[in-house]
């Protein structure tokens, strides 16, 4: 074999050559925009640890989802921040509650042009900030929580969610939600399961975004950062319980998990590029230490390359705008 016969660089010679031979692309339709709406706001409020991300009013949320649809995004994931919280998170079940109302408003605004996803969890609604209700010892009560999730799922479906996103990491939540949806005549409402959700330091800015009341941590329900095999166990359980899409969260510090799940999942795999992942890039870019657009593009690409078929990211609209420019 001559020295020159194998030259991978031949496929890197021009931009057109690299475009032709790239193994991974990102399309707007694979991006999902998370959005926050806060009850009682009269103007959108910036979230300091998430530059460019706001707590929306009803009006600005409608504008954001209209823009998302125009950009051809895959969907939106809605989070609500209620005015009043209590131990059981009862505002989550109120059809006039902030999230259920937001789902209705967004559905009325964009119809079926986007997949409307809703965060199905109690942490924004409880006064202690946990993802479920507590027992007498202060431990998150799995089964009572799952019962509330089932009712929440029906409320979201009735408000017009196409897909509910249980993010609380309770055991058996997918089965309970599926059964409740089917029983209430919502057999077509799908479930995007946060299957492998880790107890992560990278959720810090999100907790500011939802004004989290949490003291302590979520380590008795979210996964341990050291565990890889366990992610497959969680995914298999969710698949058996009827998950339509399985998700890994966070994304960039868990790309091995994304790849493992992508290798075995018969359903689409999502990954959530969480608030802290964005914060580290934004902070470095603000200091002039990193090229912001290049770093964001590379981070989203890496999640797709690892095997995620869709990415939830706060940069969804911005990245989609760049993809349009690049065409
Ligand atoms: C909890 C929830 C979390 C996120 C979304 N829903 C994590 C948590 O507070 O433990 C994190 C999203 C992010 O950091 O961007 N229901």
């Amino acid at each position: 074999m001559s020295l020159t016969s194998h030259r991978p660089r031949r496929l890197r010679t021009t931009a057109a050559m690299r475009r032709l031979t790239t193994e991974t692309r990102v399309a707007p339709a694979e991006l999902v925009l998370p959005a926050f709406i806060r009850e009682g706001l009269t103007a959108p409020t910036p979230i300091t640890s998430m530059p460019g991300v706001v707590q929306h009013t009803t009006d600005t949320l409608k504008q954001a989802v209209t823009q998302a649809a125009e950009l051809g995004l895959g969907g939106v994931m809605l989070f609500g921040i209620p005015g009043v919280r209590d131990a059981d998170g009862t505002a989550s079940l109120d059809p006039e509650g902030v999230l259920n109302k937001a789902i209705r408003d967004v559905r009325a605004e964009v119809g079926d042009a986007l997949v409307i996803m809703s965060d199905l969890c109690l942490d924004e609604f409880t006064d202690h900030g946990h993802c479920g209700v507590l027992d007498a010892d202060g431990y998150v009560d799995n089964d009572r929580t799952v019962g509330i999730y089932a009712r929440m799922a029906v409320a979201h479906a009735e408000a017009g969610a196409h897909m509910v996103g249980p993010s609380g990491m309770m055991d058996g939540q997918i089965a309970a939600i599926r059964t409740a949806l089917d029983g209430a005549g919502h057999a077509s409402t799908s479930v995007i399961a946060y299957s492998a959700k880790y107890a992560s330091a990278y959720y810090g800015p999100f907790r500011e975004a939802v004004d989290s009341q949490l003291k302590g941590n979520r380590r008795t329900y979210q996964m341990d950062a050291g565990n890889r095999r366990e992610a497959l166990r969680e995914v298999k359980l969710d698949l058996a319980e009827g998950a339509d899409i399985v998700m890994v969260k966070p994304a960039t510090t868990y790309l091995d998990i994304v790849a493992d799940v992508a290798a075995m999942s018969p359903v689409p795999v999502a990954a959530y590029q969480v608030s802290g992942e964005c914060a580290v890039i934004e902070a470095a870019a603000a200091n002039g230490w990193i090229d912001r657009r290049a770093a964001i593009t590379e981070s989203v690409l890496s999640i797709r390359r690892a095997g995620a078929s869709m990415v939830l990211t706060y940069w969804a609209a911005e990245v989609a705008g760049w993809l349009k420019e690049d065409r």
Side-chain angles (χ1 to χ4, degrees), residues 79 119 121 123 167 197 202-203 206-207 218 222 249 272 274-275 314:
F79 295 90
D119 184 55
C121 194
D123 64 309
S167 62
K197 178 173 176 181
Y202 287 85
Y203 303 145
F206 174 90
R207 298 202 180 151
R218 305 199 198 284
Q222 297 180 345
K249 179 182 176 179
Y272 197 139
V274 303
S275 57
Y314 299 96

Side-chain angles (χ1 to χ4, degrees), residues 19-49:
R19 189 172 66 224
L20 175 70
T21 59
T22 191
E23 297 175 37
T24 309
R25 281 175 227 279
V26 175
E30 298 156 352
L31 302 175
V32 175
L33 179 70
F36 304 101
I37 177 160
R38 179 166 197 157
E39 190 163 45
L41 277 189
T42 51
T45 307
I47 300 157
T48 47
S49 54

Side-chain angles (χ1 to χ4, degrees), residues 1-326:
M1 179 172 82
S2 85
L3 195 61
T4 57
S5 57
H6 295 283
R7 292 205 169 209
R9 288 185 58 191
R10 279 195 288 261
L11 299 184
R12 301 176 198 143
T13 47
T14 66
M17 189 72 82
R18 294 189 292 274
R19 189 172 66 224
L20 175 70
T21 59
T22 191
E23 297 175 37
T24 309
R25 281 175 227 279
V26 175
E30 298 156 352
L31 302 175
V32 175
L33 179 70
F36 304 101
I37 177 160
R38 179 166 197 157
E39 190 163 45
L41 277 189
T42 51
T45 307
I47 300 157
T48 47
S49 54
M50 301 174 75
V53 182
V54 300
Q55 293 176 337
H56 282 292
T57 65
T58 301
D59 283 346
T60 64
L61 178 66
K62 285 183 187 169
Q63 289 161 16
V65 297
T66 300
Q67 189 209 21
E70 283 165 6
L71 285 164
L73 296 189
V76 288
M77 174 64 81
L78 303 177
F79 295 90
I81 305 138
V84 181
R85 295 168 152 136
D86 60 24
D88 284 1
T90 48
S92 65
L93 297 173
D94 179 357
E96 294 308 314
V98 61
L99 181 54
N100 294 320
K101 190 175 164 302
I103 295 167
R104 267 204 314 278
D105 291 341
V106 167
R107 184 69 185 266
E109 195 71 14
V110 298
D112 294 336
L114 290 171
V115 177
I116 301 167
M117 309 180 189
S118 53
D119 184 55
L120 204 170
C121 194
L122 282 172
D123 64 309
E124 288 93 5
F125 295 94
T126 53
D127 55 12
H128 44 73
H130 275 293
C131 294
V133 294
L134 307 180
D135 69 15
D137 301 322
Y139 185 73
V140 175
D141 182 335
N142 192 88
D143 296 4
R144 199 156 71 82
T145 299
V146 166
I148 299 173
Y149 286 175
R151 293 166 62 202
M152 241 179 126
V154 174
H156 289 191
E158 253 139 48
H162 295 102
M163 190 178 281
V164 296
S167 62
M169 289 298 283
M170 296 300 130
D171 295 332
Q173 61 184 8
I174 306 303
I177 288 166
R178 186 70 268 155
T179 304
L181 286 171
D182 293 351
H186 298 292
S188 296
T189 305
S190 47
V191 179
I192 179 167
Y194 288 67
S195 301
K197 178 173 176 181
Y198 287 84
S200 171
Y202 287 85
Y203 303 145
F206 174 90
R207 298 202 180 151
E208 180 195 337
V210 299
D211 187 21
S212 173
Q213 304 299 303
L214 184 70
K215 292 173 195 69
N217 60 62
R218 305 199 198 284
R219 294 183 185 280
T220 71
Y221 43 103
Q222 297 180 345
M223 285 179 59
D224 184 290
N227 292 1
R228 183 168 181 175
R229 195 195 313 278
E230 189 189 15
L232 296 181
R233 182 182 191 206
E234 289 280 8
V235 167
K236 282 180 190 157
L237 285 168
D238 284 357
L239 289 169
E241 292 177 28
D244 299 289
I245 297 177
V246 292
M247 180 146 65
V248 175
K249 179 182 176 179
T252 35
T253 44
Y254 296 87
L255 292 179
D256 55 335
I257 311 300
V258 173
D260 285 356
V261 174
M264 58 69 87
S265 174
V267 303
V269 177
Y272 197 139
Q273 182 173 43
V274 303
S275 57
E277 296 177 64
C278 300
V280 293
I281 291 177
E282 293 287 4
N287 276 294
W289 295 341
I290 202 168
D291 176 334
R292 181 175 179 275
R293 176 164 168 174
I296 291 171
T297 303
E298 183 177 328
S299 69
V300 174
L301 189 66
S302 75
I303 298 164
R304 286 272 297 109
R305 187 195 62 231
S309 38
M310 64 191 80
V311 183
L312 283 77
T313 174
Y314 299 96
W315 291 312
E318 199 172 3
V319 171
W322 294 338
L323 290 168
K324 226 170 225 179
E325 276 173 31
D326 289 346

